[in-house]
Amino acid sequence: MALSCKHPHLFNHIRTFVNVKVKWVQDPYLDNAVLKEKDLKQTISLRNQIISSPSKSLSIYTASQLKASLNLPTTTTKFVDKYHCVFSQFQPGPGLPPVVKLTPLALSLHKEEMAVHNSPINREDTVQRLARLLMLAGMSKLPLYVIEKLKWDMGLPHDYVTTLLAEYPDYFDVCVVEDPSSGKELLALELVSWKKELSVSEIEKRAISLGYSGDKRRHDIAFPIFLPKGFDLEKRVKTWVENWQKLPYVSPYEDAFHLDSNSDQAEKWTVAILHELLSLFVSKKTERDNLLCFGECLGLALRFKKALVHHPGIFYISNKIRTQTVVLREAYRKDFLVKNHPLVGMRYWYINLMNKT
């Protein structure tokens, strides 16, 4: 898609943000939003393995073999014992190895979660967000390993390939792409056709709701900025941010690779992609490595790294839970999401169950 511009001097704006180090300041509320989900993804992943088994149970030996792939923080036995309200062990017979299964409460929660996944409203929402994810990729194709990395953040069902994609042939197709680094063929997910009605970013929707339209909207869209208490930008950084916010907004669904990659305008487009990507996630956050993996597919990994550091009022990087997690600041008030997705509500119930003594 060619990007038309009535103000070329603005779109070719040179980079003015040079050699300025923006300090990182801890945000205890957003750190807590991340900490609350400690071991949650691993718990759900182990649950999925148990549910996928024909007997709805796994021997402890089999479960132990999954420790690395599930990224468990300790041995499987210790993990199962720690979250005894989610998992239970039993001896199927004399001399046989212990078996782990879900507790009645966990099984009940799983059924409720499946009802959320299968509800028509949520299925349509999931399909549209997945389509927009592919549209953000520009070429409308993403290797399946990238989808797998983002599956948790997107709120996709565990078995989404067979239970979701197959039912939307007018949206998705599985194809083969070549890995540019290795030359090997990879399975990828392809958007069958561009969905113009979906190519409006969340921040554009907000601007439209305020009455902006046409080219005027490009110049009036600024990113919401939320800085934590005690955080003060240097004067020259503050001035740069104010001028940068006044640059035209370029939709993340538009091709803006013609812009000078070192320009402020190109950085605003990069921030627009990151902002929209995080907006597509059910909890408006993800591991930094996941963003960079997506960025590599677009050839924007280095730009992603710089943008995340340059804009602490838009993105927060938490160092909790043995990783770095990028949080979209505007999506949270203190440590709570402003708008809860139904799946996030289900995850909170799991957290409650995990924390029961």
Side-chain angles (χ1 to χ4, degrees):
M1 293 175 294
L3 182 65
S4 60
C5 177
K6 296 179 181 177
H7 307 277
H9 63 289
L10 287 172
F11 275 83
N12 292 312
H13 197 279
I14 62 170
R15 177 175 289 283
T16 56
F17 191 95
V18 183
N19 297 326
V20 177
K21 187 173 178 65
V22 179
K23 65 177 180 178
W24 178 86
V25 175
Q26 186 174 11
D27 188 320
Y29 288 115
L30 294 183
D31 277 345
N32 193 47
V34 172
L35 271 171
K36 280 191 289 191
E37 296 190 8
K38 182 182 178 183
D39 293 341
L40 175 62
K41 187 176 179 181
Q42 290 84 350
T43 298
I44 299 297
S45 296
L46 180 55
R47 180 211 66 182
N48 289 337
Q49 293 294 329
I50 294 170
I51 288 294
S52 299
S53 168
S55 65
K56 309 301 180 196
S57 62
L58 291 176
S59 73
I60 283 294
Y61 173 77
T62 302
S64 296
Q65 300 296 106
L66 299 170
K67 179 183 181 298
S69 63
L70 300 182
N71 193 29
L72 300 185
T74 183
T75 65
T76 304
T77 301
K78 287 181 179 177
F79 191 83
V80 166
D81 286 342
K82 182 177 182 180
Y83 299 115
H84 57 88
C85 288
V86 179
F87 307 108
S88 68
Q89 290 188 62
F90 67 97
Q91 199 85 25
L96 294 175
V99 170
V100 59
K101 65 177 182 178
L102 296 183
T103 64
L105 279 174
L107 192 58
S108 177
L109 277 183
H110 171 68
K111 289 176 180 176
E112 286 184 46
E113 185 183 331
M114 288 305 98
V116 172
H117 277 301
N118 293 326
S119 71
I121 291 176
N122 190 65
R123 285 176 77 81
E124 190 64 26
D125 169 71
T126 303
V127 165
Q128 289 187 4
R129 284 187 295 106
L130 186 54
R132 289 163 70 186
L133 180 73
L134 294 171
M135 290 165 70
L136 275 184
M139 63 288 199
S140 301
K141 294 178 186 177
L142 271 180
L144 279 180
Y145 76 84
V146 180
I147 306 287
E148 281 296 312
K149 275 185 171 291
L150 299 175
K151 180 169 75 171
W152 170 262
D153 306 303
M154 290 291 294
L156 298 177
H158 172 59
D159 50 356
Y160 72 97
V161 174
T162 54
T163 61
L164 189 69
L165 302 185
E167 292 187 21
Y168 291 86
D170 53 329
Y171 271 83
F172 310 113
D173 191 20
V174 176
C175 62
V176 174
V177 295
E178 185 179 294
D179 185 349
S181 58
S182 66
K184 292 181 180 178
E185 290 190 336
L186 300 170
L187 284 176
L189 188 62
E190 178 181 19
L191 189 65
V192 172
S193 61
W194 188 267
K195 309 291 183 183
K196 187 179 178 182
E197 69 278 10
L198 298 181
S199 63
V200 182
S201 68
E202 289 303 309
I203 205 164
E204 283 181 297
K205 289 177 185 175
R206 189 180 308 153
I208 291 169
S209 72
L210 295 173
Y212 298 130
S213 62
D215 189 61
K216 181 178 183 292
R217 191 170 75 244
R218 292 191 183 279
H219 298 275
D220 286 333
I221 290 181
F223 294 96
I225 289 182
F226 294 87
L227 292 169
K229 253 184 182 178
F231 189 105
D232 290 315
L233 290 172
E234 288 181 34
K235 187 176 179 181
R236 60 177 175 159
V237 178
K238 191 174 181 181
T239 300
W240 178 84
V241 170
E242 288 171 353
N243 291 330
W244 177 83
Q245 287 274 41
K246 294 172 184 174
L247 291 173
Y249 173 87
V250 182
S251 169
Y253 297 105
E254 296 184 52
D255 182 351
F257 278 99
H258 63 283
L259 298 174
D260 181 346
S261 62
N262 290 317
S263 67
D264 288 346
Q265 183 63 72
E267 180 155 310
K268 189 162 186 179
W269 177 63
T270 302
V271 170
I273 294 173
L274 283 166
H275 185 281
E276 182 70 358
L277 185 55
L278 287 163
S279 295
L280 295 179
F281 298 154
V282 294
S283 63
K284 316 305 179 190
K285 62 182 178 351
T286 187
E287 290 183 22
R288 178 176 175 270
D289 286 348
N290 291 343
L291 292 182
L292 298 183
C293 178
F294 183 82
E296 282 175 9
C297 290
L298 278 65
L300 295 173
L302 187 57
R303 292 203 220 175
F304 276 19
K305 285 181 183 179
K306 289 179 180 177
L308 290 172
V309 172
H310 284 174
H311 301 279
I314 302 173
F315 312 113
Y316 176 67
I317 301 177
S318 172
N319 296 314
K320 299 299 181 181
I321 320 184
R322 309 179 301 276
T323 187
Q324 288 191 315
T325 302
V326 180
V327 184
L328 185 62
R329 280 193 182 274
E330 70 187 72
Y332 284 81
R333 292 297 176 269
K334 293 189 175 181
D335 54 344
F336 292 99
L337 276 165
V338 174
K339 187 177 180 182
N340 254 348
H341 188 280
L343 279 176
V344 174
M346 289 305 308
R347 290 175 183 179
Y348 287 161
W349 281 111
Y350 274 104
I351 292 169
N352 288 336
L353 193 59
M354 289 166 66
N355 290 333
K356 274 191 175 183
T357 56

